């Protein structure tokens, strides 16, 4: 029986499952948004949030303390790419310094064509932008009403529209 067992096995042995989570965490830190199956996304969330929390705790006292070094070593144990560890401590952890938790967002994005598996998009909160979008329309161009585009709801509607293929 599997009473009170916390995590999903994802059809893999322990070493493979841990390697999968480490690789997906590195990809999420690198791109700040990835698409994967819903079960993998649900397992990835607490894994990444724990890494961000450790990084926040490490930079709280300053970069030159023994606590910061220990935090870097703990994070480096779960992320093989040293550049991404640096990015986590340099840009991502300070961005979430005042946030008490909930650093990732899970958006369902339909089903995969081949096997009909439910897909989800995992992204870091605050990275809703798309680098290939145009930043501002020309002055004479029609703009959306402020109430539709403002706030988190408007951003989520735009993201959902892009995921569904509608574009913006």
């Amino acid at each position: 029986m599997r009473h009170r067992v916390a995590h999903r096995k994802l059809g893999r042995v322990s070493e493979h499952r841990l390697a999968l989570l480490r690789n997906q965490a590195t990809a999420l830190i690198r791109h700040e948004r990835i698409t994967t199956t819903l079960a993998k996304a649900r397992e990835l969330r607490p894994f990444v949030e724990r890494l961000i929390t450790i990084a926040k705790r490490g930079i709280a006292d300053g970069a030159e303390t023994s606590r910061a070094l220990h935090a870097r070593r703990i994070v480096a144990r779960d992320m093989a790419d040293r550049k991404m560890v640096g990015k986590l401590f340099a840009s991502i952890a300070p961005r979430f310094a005042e946030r008490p938790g909930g650093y990732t967002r899970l958006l369902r994005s339909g089903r995969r064509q081949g096997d009909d598996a439910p897909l989800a998009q995992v992204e870091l909160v605050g990275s809703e932008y798309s680098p290939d979008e145009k930043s501002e329309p020309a002055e004479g161009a029609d703009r959306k009403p402020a109430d539709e585009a403002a706030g988190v709801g408007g951003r989520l509607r735009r993201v959902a529209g892009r995921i569904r293929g509608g574009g913006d």
Side-chain angles (χ1 to χ4, degrees), residues 96-117:
F96 295 125
E98 299 300 318
R99 191 177 184 93
Y103 315 116
T104 57
R105 176 181 297 130
L106 201 82
L107 296 171
R108 291 176 184 238
S109 59
R111 301 183 81 80
R112 191 160 49 198
Q113 177 117 20
D115 60 353
D116 204 34

Side-chain angles (χ1 to χ4, degrees), residues 111-129:
R111 301 183 81 80
R112 191 160 49 198
Q113 177 117 20
D115 60 353
D116 204 34
L119 294 176
Q121 190 174 48
V122 183
E123 67 181 10
L124 296 176
V125 174
S127 61
E128 294 91 10
Y129 67 92

Side-chain angles (χ1 to χ4, degrees), residues 4-166:
R4 298 177 59 95
V5 176
H7 301 288
R8 294 167 186 83
K9 291 188 177 181
L10 300 175
R12 291 160 171 80
V13 295
S14 300
E15 294 85 8
H16 188 186
R17 185 170 49 250
L18 186 57
L20 171 83
L21 289 174
R22 286 174 175 168
N23 288 334
Q24 285 195 330
T26 303
L28 182 61
I29 297 298
R30 177 177 289 126
H31 303 291
E32 298 192 9
R33 175 185 301 146
I34 62 169
T35 302
T36 184
T37 63
L38 187 60
K40 290 176 191 172
R42 285 181 174 163
E43 282 302 306
L44 180 63
R45 269 184 96 167
F47 190 85
V48 170
E49 294 203 3
R50 183 180 62 86
L51 293 178
I52 294 173
T53 302
I54 292 169
K56 276 178 44 179
R57 223 179 296 142
I59 64 167
D61 294 334
E64 300 302 322
T65 62
S66 62
R67 177 179 257 179
L69 177 62
H70 183 62
R72 276 188 183 270
R73 286 178 176 164
I74 291 173
V75 170
R77 186 175 58 195
D78 285 333
M79 292 178 62
D81 192 354
R82 291 182 138 199
K83 289 182 182 178
M84 292 306 108
V85 173
K87 178 180 178 182
L88 178 63
F89 278 85
S91 65
I92 293 176
R95 182 167 68 187
F96 295 125
E98 299 300 318
R99 191 177 184 93
Y103 315 116
T104 57
R105 176 181 297 130
L106 201 82
L107 296 171
R108 291 176 184 238
S109 59
R111 301 183 81 80
R112 191 160 49 198
Q113 177 117 20
D115 60 353
D116 204 34
L119 294 176
Q121 190 174 48
V122 183
E123 67 181 10
L124 296 176
V125 174
S127 61
E128 294 91 10
Y129 67 92
S130 177
D132 53 357
E133 279 187 10
K134 297 175 184 169
S135 59
E136 285 290 319
E139 278 190 32
D142 293 335
R143 294 185 179 185
K144 291 184 179 181
D147 58 339
E148 181 182 328
V152 175
R155 289 194 306 262
L156 287 176
R157 281 190 290 279
R158 287 195 305 270
V159 167
R162 282 197 310 267
I163 290 171
R164 292 186 191 112

